[in-house]
Amino acid sequence: VFKGVLPNRADPLQGHNALGMAKLRWSTRRDYCQSFTAFSAFVREYHWCADTYPELLAAFVHFCWSTGEAAKGTLNSLLSCMKYVCENAKAVTAMAAKALAGWSVHVPGKPWAPAPKPVVYLCAAALLESGDGAKADAALALVLGFHLYARGGELDHVRCDDFAEADGLRNLYEVPTVALLDTKTSRAGIPELVKIDDPCMADIFRFAVQRARQREPDVPNPYLFSFEKGNLLDAFKKAQVEVGFPRPLWVRHSLRHGGATEDFVRGVRKLSEITIRLRHQNEKTSKGYLQDAAGLALMKGLPTRVIDRIEAAGGAKGLLLLIVEQLDIIDTKENWYQSLVANWED
């Protein structure tokens, strides 16, 4: 449906003439009509992902780029036809045109929807239920990536020695930290420390380190996760369908948006603290990650099957406890309950 619908020859002519397209060739009109019906279908299903028309156009480019739902030619036709549809088309399409210019390289300013914490934990629990080692690593990466606001590339490259305990010689903070290697921005190649200031997440990280060292005992500093590049995204999307979504809605970068939005909405961190945790240079960039309206719309629109599974598990707190039991970190169960109540009290 996101590829658009080809019209019959006579259907769009009257409307096109009214828009000033009378002198255009039929093939051009057909391409415009096809591309706009594709965009219209996207807006009907994902209208919550942006607040303005220019942002919706850019979101459509990002969506097609990441999923392959529509070709680059369809997007070019859409941006071209906008000059007949709206005034000041150049300003309206500027953001989308910039995104389209990065096609096949990277798409700047990804407006990914924030992944809600209960959904992230539900997908992680579903992956752990399979008993597969690679899926277990993906589950750990989902939980930790959400807490750390980690980029997908950072999760791919994190190693066991990047983790430092609070009393370690490589740590200057009062809580455990992890050094994440940024592979994307101008600071690429410079590890940046992120605090693991939740005792629950610190325990899960210790478990992941121990598991990685047992998996590769002959490697001095093994990767924390065993999945190859792209496998986390694939596992995350399949888990979303498995737990009850008709199609995947979130990607790896949604963990970064979701974690920041969750902490901001619940008042866990101030904007200045979130900016530091996101490793941004200024707060203006970080504000683009705080999508509380989109997060609320997503939670209201969850499928009934997903809601039932979340409620049956006891919400985010119950799902996290289920994950702990699946990881077999039960010796600190009482502490887990106390920490969960303190951090996610209703």
Side-chain angles (χ1 to χ4, degrees), residues 62-80:
H62 299 314
F63 178 84
C64 295
W65 173 81
S66 62
T67 63
E69 290 284 359
K72 185 178 180 180
T74 300
L75 299 171
N76 278 321
S77 295
L78 174 65
L79 299 188
S80 178

Side-chain angles (χ1 to χ4, degrees), residues 140-151:
L140 290 168
L142 290 179
V143 175
L144 294 174
F146 186 90
H147 174 67
L148 299 171
Y149 308 173
R151 301 179 178 92

